[in-house]
């Protein structure tokens, strides 16, 4: 049975991935939805009528969650045809001024959990399987006031490009989607709403279109996908302008 595993599936972009999954990957028969909040996972599961859905409430910042996922994979040995690493967080604030727990949570969830889930799922993925990692436009250039967040997303994009090459002999592709800001709870949770002039100025991505475009990019085996022309231009600009100059304009 072809199975998709989606982390951070309870709200926002994660829920949109679930909503649009069947239209891009109709061959997926079963879906494992992972997030902390069980009630919201059940609401998301309702978006997949006719599919077998398993809701797995867990906090991927906890070490024991990886053992739970490892044991479940070993017990059921699913045919994982799609892995979407969407779980992530970002907090606004200067290094040295923000509480340490918030800074390290970004590292635990955006880096450690993504790496662990990928490593655990790969033994169950075969030729034609796809990995979709949610990165960000923040990966293109360090963003002062969100320095740790942008550094974690630079890791995600780099990690994706690296495993894409590693997995070519196995016929598995990896895609990083790098969207701009979206109107989701991410902004409120990260203390960004009302506290960032840059976020007020930037054009927002539609989360439904971003999810659909990312799924199609993964289906087509693209390595990096950036929604919206404005951010495609920003990605190119960040490659040619010296980073010490770019960072002055990238402050959040």
């Amino acid at each position: 049975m072809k199975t998709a595993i989606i982390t951070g599936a309870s709200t926002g972009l994660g829920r949109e991935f679930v909503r649009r999954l069947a239209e891009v990957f109709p061959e997926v028969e079963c879906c494992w939805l992972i997030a902390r909040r069980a009630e919201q996972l059940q609401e998301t599961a309702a978006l997949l009528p006719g599919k077998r859905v398993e809701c797995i409430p867990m906090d991927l910042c906890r070490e024991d969650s990886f053992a739970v996922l490892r044991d479940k994979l070993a017990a059921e040995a699913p045919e994982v045809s799609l892995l979407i690493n969407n779980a992530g967080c970002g907090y606004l604030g200067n290094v040295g001024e923000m509480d340490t727990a918030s800074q390290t949570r970004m590292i635990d969830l955006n880096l450690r959990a993504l790496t662990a889930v990928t490593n655990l799922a790969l033994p169950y993925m075969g030729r034609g399987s796809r990995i979709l990692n949610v990165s960000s436009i923040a990966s293109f250039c360090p963003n002062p006031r969100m320095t740790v967040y942008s550094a974690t997303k630079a890791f995600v994009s780099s990690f994706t490009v690296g495993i894409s090459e590693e997995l070519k002999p196995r016929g598995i592709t990896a895609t990083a989607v790098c969207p701009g800001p979206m109107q989701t709870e991410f902004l409120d949770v990260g203390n960004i709403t009302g506290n960032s002039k840059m976020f007020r100025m930037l054009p927002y991505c539609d989360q439904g279109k971003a999810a659909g475009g990312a799924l199609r990019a993964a289906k087509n085996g693209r390595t990096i996908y950036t929604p919206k022309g404005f951010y495609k231009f920003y990605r190119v600009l960040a490659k040619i302008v010296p980073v010490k100059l770019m960072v002055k304009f990238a402050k959040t």
Side-chain angles (χ1 to χ4, degrees):
M1 181 177 291
K2 292 185 181 299
T3 300
I5 299 175
I6 305 175
T7 70
S10 59
T11 61
L13 187 61
R15 181 171 289 187
E16 291 303 316
F17 280 131
V18 174
R19 190 189 307 276
R20 284 158 173 76
L21 181 67
E23 65 189 56
V24 184
F25 289 94
E27 67 274 17
V28 168
E29 304 162 279
C30 175
C31 197
W32 292 8
L33 305 180
I34 299 174
R36 288 179 299 127
R37 294 170 289 190
E39 185 176 337
Q40 288 175 307
L41 276 180
Q42 292 293 339
E43 293 172 1
T44 302
L47 299 172
L48 287 168
K51 304 284 186 183
R52 179 183 169 188
V53 182
E54 292 196 41
C55 295
I56 309 172
M58 64 170 62
D59 183 351
L60 290 173
C61 286
R62 292 174 55 95
E63 177 72 29
D64 56 4
S65 66
F66 306 135
V68 171
L69 183 58
R70 180 199 64 210
D71 292 346
K72 182 173 177 60
L73 285 164
E76 301 190 23
E79 181 186 351
V80 181
S81 60
L82 176 65
L83 168 64
I84 301 179
N85 284 306
N86 173 69
C89 62
Y91 302 102
L92 184 72
N94 292 329
V95 175
E97 297 175 7
M98 185 191 302
D99 65 286
T100 302
S102 295
Q103 299 281 29
T104 56
R105 181 172 177 79
M106 287 185 277
I107 294 168
D108 287 343
L109 190 55
N110 300 0
L111 272 66
R112 192 161 172 267
L114 178 141
T115 305
V117 172
T118 302
N119 199 58
L120 289 168
L122 268 170
Y124 303 91
M125 303 181 80
R127 186 166 295 276
S129 296
R130 293 164 176 85
I131 298 169
L132 176 56
N133 294 325
V134 175
S135 186
S136 167
I137 60 164
S139 69
F140 304 154
C141 174
N143 299 148
R145 293 184 76 214
M146 291 191 77
T147 297
V148 174
Y149 176 75
S150 57
T152 66
K153 291 304 182 178
F155 171 93
V156 173
S157 292
S158 181
F159 176 80
T160 303
V161 174
I163 63 170
S164 179
E165 187 63 27
E166 287 182 5
L167 296 172
K168 275 184 180 178
R170 292 179 55 184
I172 300 171
T173 65
T175 302
V177 55
C178 301
M182 293 172 282
Q183 197 61 54
T184 68
E185 67 175 16
F186 175 93
L187 301 177
D188 295 329
V189 173
N191 195 37
I192 296 165
T193 303
N195 294 313
S196 170
K197 182 178 178 181
M198 179 62 76
F199 271 84
R200 289 196 296 270
M201 293 170 55
L202 288 173
Y204 276 48
C205 292
D206 178 273
Q207 55 188 304
K209 290 180 180 178
L215 287 168
R216 289 189 292 273
K219 185 85 168 181
N220 294 329
R222 293 175 60 179
T223 306
I224 300 288
Y225 169 67
T226 308
K228 226 172 182 59
F230 180 88
Y231 295 118
K232 289 179 171 67
F233 172 73
Y234 175 59
R235 181 183 167 203
V236 173
L237 195 66
K239 288 182 177 180
I240 60 178
V241 175
V243 68
K244 293 203 78 172
L245 179 59
M246 274 298 294
V247 76
K248 295 181 184 299
F249 300 100
K251 184 176 180 179
T252 50

